[in-house]
Amino acid sequence: MNNLIQPKILKGFRDFLPTSEILRTDLIEKITNVYRSFGFVPIDTPVLEYTEILLRKSNGETEKQVFRFEDNGGRDVAMRFDLTVPFARFTAEHYSELYLPFKRYHIAKVWRGEKPQAGRYREFVQCDVDTVGSDTAAADFEILNAMKSALSAIGVDDITINVNHRGIFNRFLSKLDLLDKSEDILRSVDKLAKVGQEAVVNELIQITQSPEKSNKIIEYISAKGSFLEILAQLEEMAGGPAEDTQRMKDIYNMMCASGIESTYVLNPSITRGLDYYTGVVYETFLNKLPSIGSVCSGGRYDNLAGLYMKEKVPGVGTSIGLDRLIAGLEQLGVTEKKGSYLDAEIFCQNNEHAVEYQKIAALLRKNGVKVEVFPEAKKMNQQYNVTEAKNIPWGILMNDENVKNGTFTLKNLRTREMFQDISVEEAVKIIKG
C-alpha cells in the first residue's frame, strides 16, 4: 500500500465529472451551430508550436504565461496560449489553398501559466471565429453579430458588448506626440477596470512624463453619452473625421438595421492588451456579474499574418472564453446540470428477461428515444438511485406478463405518474411529448 501514488492534478487544471462536461459539450454544440449558421467552417491546429511562432508578436507578460520547453529533438516549443496566433500561422502556411474571405471557427483548449483565480484557469476552452481577407465594416459587424447570437443561443442575453477602435485612439495619441508609446499606453489603459483610475493615471504619468497629457488620455477614455455622442467626442479629440470613425458609424448603422444596437456600447477605455489588434476591439461582460471579467473578446488584427508572409491579409475575430463564462453562469445560478443524455432507463427486475429488455431498448432507440438498460437485477432502490443521479426523466418496468405481451409500464420518475401496459409506439409519443 505504501507504493500507491496519490491521485492529484496540477494547480489551475481540472477534471470534469459528467454533469460539468455535459454542460460544456451542450454549450459548445449550440455555439458551433450558430457559427456554422454565419458560414464559418472548422479547422484545427497543433497544441504545440515553435516558440518563435507564438511569441514573435507579443509583450513580456505573454512570454511569462506560456508553457515553454525544449522537446526531445532540442527544439524550442510552446503550448498555444490562444487560437488567434496559430490561425495567423495557419493562414500563411495554407494561403494558396484558401479562398478569401476565409471564415473559420476553432473550438479547442489553450494553456496559460497565469495565477489561477475565480473563472480563470491554466487550461481552458476558447470558442473562436475569424474572418481573413476582408477589411470592411461588414466583416467587423458580422463578428459582433455572431458574438451576440452565440451567447443568446446558450441563454446568455443579459450582456453588454463594449466596442472601441484602436485607430481612433492612435490618432488621438499622435496629436499628443505619444504614438511611439502607444503600446505601453494601450496596455496601461486596458488595466482600468482591474486597478482603477488612480493607478492608471500614475502609470500614464510614468509613461508620458507629462501629467497634462495623462489627464487628456483619461478625458478621452472617460467620454460619456450614447454610442454616436461618444463617437463624436472621440472624433473631435482625434482630429476630425477619418476612415476609422466612419467605420464605427457604418458598424453602428448595421447594428441598428439588425435591431441589436441596445446590446453594444462605445467604450473608449476598451483597448485590449495584446499588441496585434489594429482596428475595432471589443469585450463582453455579464451585466449581473461584471467582476468576473470579459467572457467574449477580440478585434481586428490586420497585420498579424504579415509576420509569417509577405502578403498583407486583413483579419477580424472573437473568442468566447467558455470556462470563464460557465463560472459566471454558475455564480449566477442559471446553469442546468444534467447527469446524462438519456430519456429513459429500463430497469432490470429479472436477469432472465435481459434479452427482452435489449429488444425494447433497440426499438425505442430506432424511434429516437435515448435509453439504456440497467445491466443487472439489483434492488430497485439502488436502480432508482442511479437514475436519480443521472437525472433520467423516465423509467420502464416489465413484469412477466409484460414480457409475454411485448408491453411495459412507463413511469415518470419526477411526478411518479404511471402509464401501464403500453406499447413502444405509445411510449415514444409520451416521452417525446
Side-chain angles (χ1 to χ4, degrees):
M1 292 295 292
N2 292 333
N3 294 327
L4 290 177
I5 299 172
Q6 181 183 354
K8 58 185 178 180
I9 55 177
L10 293 166
K11 186 177 180 180
F13 293 77
R14 299 168 294 161
D15 288 326
F16 291 90
L17 292 171
T19 52
S20 297
E21 187 61 14
I22 287 172
L23 173 62
R24 290 209 311 169
T25 54
D26 281 352
L27 296 183
I28 287 173
E29 285 178 11
K30 292 174 182 177
I31 292 169
T32 297
N33 287 334
V34 171
Y35 287 171
R36 289 174 178 172
S37 75
F38 278 81
F40 295 95
V41 293
I43 68 162
D44 197 11
T45 62
V47 169
L48 291 179
E49 300 269 7
Y50 286 103
T51 301
E52 65 175 357
I53 294 290
L54 295 182
L55 298 183
R56 185 174 172 190
K57 186 67 173 176
S58 64
N59 55 53
E61 291 300 313
T62 302
E63 292 188 30
K64 296 175 186 176
Q65 292 178 3
V66 299
F67 287 96
R68 180 179 182 178
F69 57 93
E70 184 178 292
D71 70 6
N72 292 338
R75 291 170 287 265
D76 184 6
V77 298
M79 300 173 74
R80 63 189 181 209
F81 62 86
D82 72 3
L83 300 176
T84 303
V85 177
F87 178 50
R89 190 270 308 153
F90 173 96
T91 301
E93 195 158 356
H94 300 282
Y95 186 64
S96 62
E97 305 167 60
L98 301 179
Y99 46 84
L100 298 180
F102 179 68
K103 298 163 57 175
R104 80 83 157 99
Y105 72 85
H106 190 186
I107 299 176
K109 287 183 176 181
V110 297
W111 293 264
R112 295 181 189 175
E114 54 190 350
K115 183 178 179 181
Q117 51 186 288
R120 190 183 294 271
Y121 310 97
R122 289 177 171 172
E123 178 183 66
F124 53 97
V125 173
Q126 288 189 332
C127 309
D128 282 27
V129 275
D130 292 82
T131 297
V132 295
S134 178
D135 182 8
T136 62
D140 291 340
F141 168 71
E142 186 174 60
I143 294 293
L144 287 163
N145 194 0
M147 291 166 60
K148 174 177 170 53
S149 298
L151 291 170
S152 181
I154 60 176
V156 182
D157 289 301
D158 193 10
I159 58 172
T160 298
I161 300 178
N162 294 259
V163 187
N164 194 20
H165 197 298
R166 274 196 176 184
I168 307 172
F169 193 31
N170 282 334
R171 280 205 295 133
F172 166 72
L173 293 179
S174 183
K175 279 189 65 179
L176 298 179
D177 294 322
L178 293 174
L179 191 58
D180 60 327
K181 299 178 180 179
S182 64
E183 290 187 1
D184 291 334
I185 293 171
L186 286 165
R187 278 196 289 272
S188 179
V189 170
D190 191 52
K191 301 175 187 175
L192 183 64
K194 298 177 184 176
V195 302
Q197 183 169 308
E198 184 178 349
V200 171
V201 169
N202 291 334
E203 192 169 310
L204 287 174
I205 290 174
Q206 291 182 358
I207 296 170
T208 65
Q209 297 297 304
S210 170
E212 181 183 358
K213 291 182 179 180
S214 298
N215 287 334
K216 287 184 178 180
I217 294 172
I218 295 298
E219 179 186 354
Y220 179 96
I221 65 175
S222 303
K224 305 295 181 187
S226 68
F227 194 107
L228 293 180
E229 287 170 346
I230 294 173
L231 184 56
Q233 296 173 55
L234 303 186
E235 186 174 67
E236 182 178 353
M237 285 187 275
E243 188 279 332
D244 45 34
T245 51
Q246 185 60 48
R247 173 67 62 91
M248 295 302 286
K249 292 173 186 176
D250 291 342
I251 291 172
Y252 182 71
N253 288 335
M254 293 177 187
M255 292 174 182
C256 294
S258 302
I260 58 175
E261 73 278 6
S262 62
T263 300
Y264 305 85
V265 298
L266 180 53
N267 184 344
S269 70
I270 297 295
T271 60
R272 304 291 296 136
L274 294 171
D275 297 347
Y276 51 66
Y277 292 115
T278 57
V280 62
V281 290
Y282 26 79
E283 295 186 351
T284 307
F285 297 92
L286 303 174
N287 291 336
K288 292 181 180 177
L289 195 66
S291 60
I292 202 168
S294 177
V295 297
C296 180
S297 56
R300 177 161 287 282
Y301 48 90
D302 289 343
N303 299 321
L304 186 62
L307 292 170
Y308 316 112
M309 60 190 296
K310 294 179 180 179
E311 293 85 357
K312 182 179 179 181
V313 183
V316 61
T318 193
S319 177
I320 296 175
L322 188 66
D323 296 273
R324 183 183 295 186
L325 176 60
I326 291 174
L329 297 179
E330 288 176 339
Q331 285 189 48
L332 293 172
V334 295
T335 55
E336 181 184 357
K337 296 285 188 178
K338 294 194 299 185
S340 75
Y341 292 105
L342 292 170
D343 298 314
E345 180 85 16
I346 298 177
F347 295 112
C348 183
Q349 297 171 273
N350 187 334
N351 287 326
E352 293 181 4
H353 297 329
V355 172
E356 190 64 24
Y357 296 149
Q358 295 296 340
K359 177 182 177 181
I360 295 297
L363 291 171
L364 288 168
R365 291 189 192 108
K366 286 181 180 178
N367 285 275
V369 175
K370 297 183 284 293
V371 60
E372 74 173 5
V373 177
F374 202 90
E376 54 188 307
K378 288 188 175 182
K379 293 179 180 179
M380 286 306 298
N381 66 329
Q382 292 178 287
Q383 297 189 48
Y384 278 124
N385 287 339
V386 172
T387 60
E388 184 177 354
K390 293 181 177 181
N391 304 115
I392 300 172
W394 296 96
I396 291 174
L397 299 143
M398 298 181 69
N399 57 30
D400 292 341
E401 191 66 24
N402 289 139
V403 171
K404 290 180 183 178
N405 299 330
T407 61
F408 51 83
T409 294
L410 180 66
K411 181 177 182 180
N412 188 316
L413 298 178
R414 292 166 183 166
T415 67
R416 301 294 187 261
E417 184 179 6
M418 308 275 276
F419 302 88
Q420 296 182 334
D421 299 323
I422 64 173
S423 66
V424 168
E425 292 76 14
E426 291 170 321
V428 170
K429 290 179 182 178
I430 295 170
I431 292 172
K432 290 191 169 185

